[in-house]
Amino acid sequence: ASAIGYYGDVESDAVSETYRKGRGFLSDLCQVWERETQPVEKLGVRVVLLRTGIVLGKGGGALKKMLPPFQMFVGGHLGTGRQWFSWIHRDDVIGIILFALNNSNLKGPVNVTAPEPVTMRDFCKALGRALGKPSWAPVPAFILKLGLGEMSDMLLTGQKVIPESLRKAGYLFKFTQLDATLQNIFQKASVNG
């Protein structure tokens, strides 16, 4: 498993698995990580490189860290809000892993993202709607840079990632629309505690 950080910061292009490697620490790390599969591949073993986007699910991950400002009525997008946010529901991540294990035609890089990426601004608006809270207080880039340094780049940049290999292989997503995905997550959270 790797990450969509492989592509680096891509402002406007749609990114499929054939897109070039980006620049920067995260991109370099993903490339090194993926390169470790080459000895196995040379032995004739089928290798699937799962490049995972931002996983949404109850009780953890990126979503858990984004909730507190919204719960305090000061939620909003990060930086300009124009950066792409390529997300995926945790149930689809599991479904894709099982699909990859059982589909011998699938190999090489596979983008593990929902087919409908959104901008950070649109994601935060949808998150506000799902929580019944406003999304009005953006966090300026300079504040993130002061607090997080270089790590802020992960929050202030993005890519519009398209899961082209999965589409061609016939994977059927359970969650394709962000609003329905967030409603599912928060309904499960309230029902299951």
Side-chain angles (χ1 to χ4, degrees):
S2 184
I4 60 173
Y6 175 91
Y7 305 110
D9 183 23
V10 183
E11 290 184 24
S12 58
D13 294 342
V15 174
S16 73
E17 290 84 354
T18 59
Y19 201 83
R20 70 186 178 278
K21 177 195 159 305
R23 289 193 208 168
F25 172 76
L26 191 54
S27 182
D28 292 343
L29 179 63
C30 291
Q31 183 183 34
V32 168
W33 190 258
E34 290 182 7
R35 195 179 308 137
E36 290 300 312
T37 65
Q38 289 175 351
V40 175
E41 196 168 21
K42 287 178 183 174
L43 295 173
V45 175
R46 178 176 64 98
V47 174
V48 179
L49 302 167
L50 301 176
R51 293 179 179 163
T52 306
I54 300 158
V55 180
L56 303 178
K58 131 185 138 138
L63 196 53
K64 183 177 182 178
K65 294 177 192 286
M66 295 179 85
L67 289 179
F70 283 89
Q71 292 168 331
M72 294 184 293
F73 294 91
V74 291
H77 61 270
L78 307 176
T80 66
R82 292 189 301 266
Q83 66 272 35
W84 285 101
F85 192 89
S86 295
W87 59 276
I88 186 159
H89 192 291
R90 181 172 52 199
D91 290 354
D92 272 319
V93 173
I94 295 166
I96 290 166
I97 292 168
L98 294 173
F99 183 78
L101 287 169
N102 294 306
N103 186 334
S104 61
N105 294 325
L106 196 62
K107 62 182 178 179
V110 174
N111 290 335
V112 182
T113 60
E116 300 289 332
V118 297
T119 63
M120 172 64 78
R121 182 183 306 265
D122 289 340
F123 175 80
C124 289
K125 285 180 183 179
L127 181 56
R129 284 191 300 272
L131 294 170
K133 310 280 186 189
S135 176
W136 64 274
V139 180
F142 79 90
I143 290 180
L144 290 170
K145 288 180 182 184
L146 280 174
L148 300 174
E150 278 187 45
M151 288 189 63
S152 66
D153 288 344
M154 291 189 299
L155 302 172
L156 297 171
T157 61
Q159 332 55 23
K160 182 180 183 180
V161 178
I162 308 299
E164 188 64 22
S165 291
L166 288 170
R167 186 190 65 76
K168 286 181 180 176
Y171 178 77
L172 298 175
F173 285 86
K174 294 176 187 170
F175 297 94
T176 59
Q177 301 298 314
L178 182 59
D179 283 316
T181 299
L182 292 172
Q183 286 175 354
N184 171 271
I185 291 167
F186 293 118
Q187 284 174 354
K188 279 186 177 179
S190 62
V191 170
N192 298 330

